[in-house]
Amino acid sequence: MDNALADWVYEAESLTATERLAACLAAWSQPGTVLALDGDLGAGKTAFSQLLARHLGVLETVNSPTFTLIKEYEGRLPFYHMDVYRLSLDEADDLGLDEYFYGAGVTVVEWASIIKELLPPEVLHIYVETVSETGRRMHIKGQGEPYVSWLSALKKNGVQGYESI
C-alpha cells in the first residue's frame, strides 16, 4: 500500500494505544472481515494480530504463522491468521484462500502486499510503521464496505466510542 493513499493515519504511542485500535476493529468485525497487514520486519504486525485476536475472544496463544502459513483459532468469530512472507503469488493461489476470505471468520494476512492480487475487493489495509521504540504509525486504507464506513467513524471519533457503528 502506498502510505500517501491512506484514508486515515493512527498514531499509537504505545502498545496500549495499538490495543485500542485492535479492540475497535475487533468490535466491528463480522464474518468475512479481512485485514491486510504490511510493514517492515519487527514493526508489530504479529503484535497487532495478537491484540485483535484477544479482543475477538481468542483464549489460545496467538503466535506468528510464518512456517505454518495459516493458523485457525476460535473466539467470538473464528480467527484466521496468515503469514504469506515465504510464499510466491502462485503458491498462495493454490492454498484456496477464498475459503477464509469469504468464510465465517476474521482473516488477518501479514505481508499481504505479496498476494494483493488474491485479496478480496473489500479489505482493510494497514501499514505498520515504526516511529520509536514503542511508537507505531498505522496507515489505514479501506476498500469497499464495511471498511469505508469504519474509516469514516474513525476519522470522526478516533478509537473512542467505537461500539456505535
Side-chain angles (χ1 to χ4, degrees), residues 6-136:
D7 294 319
W8 189 62
V9 178
Y10 179 64
E11 299 285 345
E13 69 284 351
S14 66
L15 192 59
T16 301
T18 298
E19 185 167 8
R20 284 193 292 271
L21 177 62
C24 177
L25 297 179
W28 290 340
S29 290
Q30 56 196 11
T33 294
V34 178
L35 305 182
L37 300 182
D38 281 293
D40 293 333
L41 278 170
K45 295 177 294 297
T46 299
F48 179 84
S49 299
Q50 291 166 333
L51 294 167
L52 182 78
R54 178 186 308 157
H55 286 277
L56 285 169
V58 173
L59 300 177
E60 295 175 69
T61 300
V62 173
N63 49 35
S64 178
T66 300
F67 295 103
T68 54
L69 304 178
I70 302 169
K71 290 189 175 181
E72 299 181 25
Y73 302 91
E74 289 301 320
R76 174 178 68 83
L77 295 167
F79 179 66
Y80 310 127
H81 188 200
M82 301 178 185
D83 185 326
V84 298
Y85 182 73
R86 300 185 187 286
L87 290 182
S88 70
L89 184 60
D90 288 337
E91 290 169 327
D93 195 24
D94 291 338
L95 291 176
L97 299 178
D98 282 354
E99 292 179 32
Y100 295 98
F101 297 154
Y102 298 102
V106 174
T107 303
V108 172
V109 183
E110 294 188 28
W111 301 100
S113 60
I114 293 171
I115 63 162
K116 64 184 171 197
E117 295 88 347
L118 302 178
L119 294 172
E122 295 82 21
V123 63
L124 188 71
H125 294 276
I126 303 174
Y127 185 90
V128 183
E129 177 185 6
T130 303
V131 294
S132 70
E133 188 174 324
T134 59
R136 300 296 183 265

Side-chain angles (χ1 to χ4, degrees), residues 7-10 20-25 28 35 48 124-126 138 140-142 146-165:
D7 294 319
W8 189 62
V9 178
Y10 179 64
R20 284 193 292 271
L21 177 62
C24 177
L25 297 179
W28 290 340
L35 305 182
F48 179 84
L124 188 71
H125 294 276
I126 303 174
M138 314 277 192
I140 306 172
K141 178 162 186 59
Y147 311 110
V148 171
S149 295
W150 291 10
L151 283 164
S152 177
L154 287 169
K155 287 180 201 177
K156 182 178 178 184
N157 303 314
V159 295
Q160 311 306 319
Y162 57 80
E163 298 87 356
S164 61
I165 205 166

